[in-house]
Amino acid sequence: MSSENLMTLNLKIWRQKNNKEKGEIVDYTIDGISPDASFLEMLDILNEKLIKEGSDPVAYDHDCREGICGMCSLMINGQAHGPEAETTTCQLHMRKYKDGDTIVIEPFRARAFPVLKDLMIDRQAFDDIIAAGGFVNVNTGNPQDANAILVPKENAELAMDAASCIGCAACVASCKNASAMLFVSAKVSQLALLPQGQVEADERVKNMVLKMDELGFGNCTNEAECEASCPKGISISNIARLNRDFLKAAVTSND
Amino acid sequence: MASSMLKYATSSVVKKQVMGVTGLLLCGFLISHLIGNCLMYLGPEVFNKYAHALVTNPLIYLAEAGLASIFLIHIGLAAKLTIENNNARPDKYFVKQKTGHGATFASSTMPYTGLIILVFLILHLLDFKFGPLHTATYGGVEMRDIYKTVVDYFQSPLSVLWYIFCMIALGIHVSHGFWSAFQSIGFWHTKYTCLLQCLAKVFAVVITLGYSALPIYCYLQGGN
Ligand code: FES
């Protein structure tokens, strides 16, 4: 890599000591960034520099760095996971930017996701929603024949599409209402579309929606910014499914 | 039982569904009101007789009460949802940019266009329903000359412009609201969703143009 390709960037990063204190945007300049570096590698380089200077490195979430775990987040220039469609922050590369660019980096924001430090948020709320119903109970015993339960191919594919949700929370971050409907609808759909998910279908959708409301997420206004920001391209048709399943479960419920 | 019903009725999903259903009912009202307005083109007698038949029908109180409650539910719930949505993100973003593939101008301005329509609605009732009283007599029956009230009102270009401005806001509002209602109720199908979105736009254009034509017509009528 010839050095003339290396970029100098102006970063505006949200710094916040902890959950209690107020944060602020802090300016940094970083040079020598290769277009081949990933966005997170660029932050690593910044952090190395900060550590060398004796200052506090920027805290941010990441794990697999290959777009499958859903740990990385970041609001990059006001877009969840940055400008590229169906791409997580860890899969975003600096070739998207040019020398001298200013990049604003903020945490995903929602009442339900408190900032822990800098760019790190607490996404416990998603786990709480899953715990409220996003599972199937399976009896132990001898495994039955794999082909005993028939699944229509189309449903299998729709369920698989819904199941590709990695729970990163980009849907909530990009929604102007901080609504978690896309996440909840994907987690409801992946089971509702399969015969194995039928037994608990009504309870699941009721409990997950009520939990979502209780945790302080906003109400969906069908803008589809969630779908457009989702690194897995999950469709808002799942939200429509959630809406009708919830209505049906609520109307027919015995409690 | 009652408490569980309340629990579901106050859930985010059902609140949105009530918004959707009341919105669709109001769309129905828009169509019937527009058809009624079109009678103005047939002259004062036809229009006044129609209006007279409408207000002297004993069922009108029931219809008005129903319509008023639909409006109040739609508006009240809109206010509640907007406040809740605002609270769901207390710390705003330093920069926020749309993806360009999701939100539209119409979808992101629903509370504002809604507010314009609310102000319009109040003024509209004051200007016409509770506006200047004139009378006309047809075949020995004295009735309100609402035709004159309307034509007089639209002699001011400012009134015409304000009316058209509000009808544009209304068109924008329904262009998102119409299909959004179906999404909230849970109606989604690869075949029909596209169609519904197109239909919403067509509906919006028909409503805006349909309602805007009348004030222009009245203005052009001048003093005659
Ligand atoms: S770090 Fe695992 S998805 Fe980005």
Side-chain angles (χ1 to χ4, degrees), chain A residues 106 109 213 219 222 244 255, chain B residues 4 12 85 89 94 180 186:
Chain A
E106 291 176 84
R109 292 188 191 281
D213 291 350
N219 308 288
N222 302 324
R244 65 175 174 267
D255 60 337
Chain B
S4 92
S12 60
N85 290 347
R89 180 172 293 126
F94 189 69
S180 177

Side-chain angles (χ1 to χ4, degrees), chain A residues 12 25 75 77-79 104 106-111 172-178 181 206 209-210 212-213 216-225 228-229 235-237 239-240 243-244 246-247 250 253 255, chain B residues 1 4-5 7-8 10-17 80-82 84-85 87-104 107-109 111 176 179-181 183-188:
Chain A
K12 287 180 175 295
I25 292 278
M75 213 61 183
N77 283 341
Q79 291 186 311
V104 181
E106 291 176 84
F108 284 179
R109 292 188 191 281
R111 174 185 294 277
V172 176
S174 60
C175 174
K176 80 168 201 276
N177 313 315
M181 285 289 272
K206 284 188 300 188
V209 167
L210 295 179
M212 167 185 85
D213 291 350
F217 290 101
N219 308 288
C220 174
T221 52
N222 302 324
E223 297 212 25
E225 276 295 297
S229 316
S235 157
I236 57 164
S237 62
I239 296 183
N243 287 334
R244 65 175 174 267
F246 182 83
L247 184 63
S253 104
D255 60 337
Chain B
M1 180 75 189
S4 92
M5 290 278 276
K7 182 174 69 185
Y8 299 130
T10 55
S11 68
S12 60
V13 170
V14 172
K15 274 186 287 191
K16 290 293 306 174
Q17 288 168 337
K80 185 169 164 52
L81 287 165
T82 309
E84 284 175 0
N85 290 347
N87 287 342
R89 180 172 293 126
D91 301 317
K92 305 296 171 210
Y93 287 112
F94 189 69
V95 218
K96 180 80 178 81
Q97 209 187 322
K98 298 213 170 78
T99 57
H101 305 287
T104 58
S107 76
S108 41
T109 53
H176 175 71
W179 95 266
S180 177
Q183 168 80 1
S184 295
I185 298 161
F187 185 91
W188 201 99

Side-chain angles (χ1 to χ4, degrees), chain A residues 40 61-73 81 88-91 166:
Chain A
L40 295 186
D61 273 320
H62 63 105
D63 190 8
C64 70
R65 296 209 178 193
E66 53 185 18
I68 54 168
C69 75
M71 260 324 265
C72 59
S73 49
H81 291 302
T88 52
T89 296
C90 60
Q91 293 293 293
I166 53 176

Side-chain angles (χ1 to χ4, degrees), chain A:
Chain A
M1 169 72 48
S2 62
S3 62
E4 59 256 33
N5 279 337
L6 298 182
M7 296 182 277
T8 301
L9 298 163
N10 304 307
L11 304 175
K12 287 180 175 295
I13 302 180
W14 184 261
R15 301 301 311 259
Q16 183 170 340
K17 266 212 168 60
N18 53 42
N19 194 281
K20 304 271 162 326
E21 269 162 73
K22 267 175 86 92
E24 56 173 353
I25 292 278
V26 177
D27 289 300
Y28 298 94
T29 307
I30 184 169
D31 48 29
I33 296 297
S34 155
D36 293 330
S38 77
F39 198 87
L40 295 186
E41 281 164 350
M42 181 273 292
L43 286 180
D44 290 338
I45 294 168
L46 172 73
N47 276 348
E48 274 170 23
K49 191 175 135 202
L50 291 179
I51 291 168
K52 252 187 225 140
E53 285 170 1
S55 36
D56 194 20
V58 180
Y60 66 89
D61 273 320
H62 63 105
D63 190 8
C64 70
R65 296 209 178 193
E66 53 185 18
I68 54 168
C69 75
M71 260 324 265
C72 59
S73 49
L74 305 188
M75 213 61 183
I76 303 168
N77 283 341
Q79 291 186 311
H81 291 302
E84 219 161 353
E86 297 196 24
T87 306
T88 52
T89 296
C90 60
Q91 293 293 293
L92 177 66
H93 286 78
M94 297 315 292
R95 63 183 78 100
K96 268 269 152 188
Y97 298 92
K98 40 180 210 313
D99 190 38
D101 272 358
T102 299
I103 309 175
V104 181
I105 311 170
E106 291 176 84
F108 284 179
R109 292 188 191 281
R111 174 185 294 277
F113 295 143
V115 172
L116 294 174
K117 181 172 165 43
D118 301 335
L119 305 171
M120 251 173 156
I121 54 165
D122 183 358
R123 281 169 279 190
Q124 174 66 35
F126 269 9
D127 292 339
D128 293 344
I129 295 173
I130 295 292
F135 49 80
V136 281
N137 284 306
V138 179
N139 289 334
T140 53
N142 286 338
Q144 57 181 327
D145 187 78
N147 295 319
I149 303 172
L150 299 179
V151 182
K153 177 156 182 347
E154 198 187 333
N155 282 9
E157 280 177 0
L158 288 173
M160 198 60 212
D161 288 348
S164 64
C165 167
I166 53 176
C168 65
C171 45
V172 176
S174 60
C175 174
K176 80 168 201 276
N177 313 315
S179 163
M181 285 289 272
L182 193 66
F183 168 78
V184 178
S185 70
K187 298 301 178 191
V188 164
S189 292
Q190 64 178 0
L191 300 172
L193 284 158
L194 300 176
Q196 291 89 337
Q198 290 314 307
V199 184
E200 293 141 316
D202 284 1
E203 285 308 299
R204 175 182 310 117
V205 69
K206 284 188 300 188
N207 292 339
M208 288 177 80
V209 167
L210 295 179
K211 184 47 105 180
M212 167 185 85
D213 291 350
E214 179 196 316
L215 291 166
F217 290 101
N219 308 288
C220 174
T221 52
N222 302 324
E223 297 212 25
E225 276 295 297
C226 51
E227 177 184 281
S229 316
C230 176
K232 300 297 155 184
I234 295 191
S235 157
I236 57 164
S237 62
N238 289 298
I239 296 183
R241 182 177 299 105
L242 172 74
N243 287 334
R244 65 175 174 267
D245 286 0
F246 182 83
L247 184 63
K248 182 185 136 261
V251 169
T252 57
S253 104
N254 285 326
D255 60 337

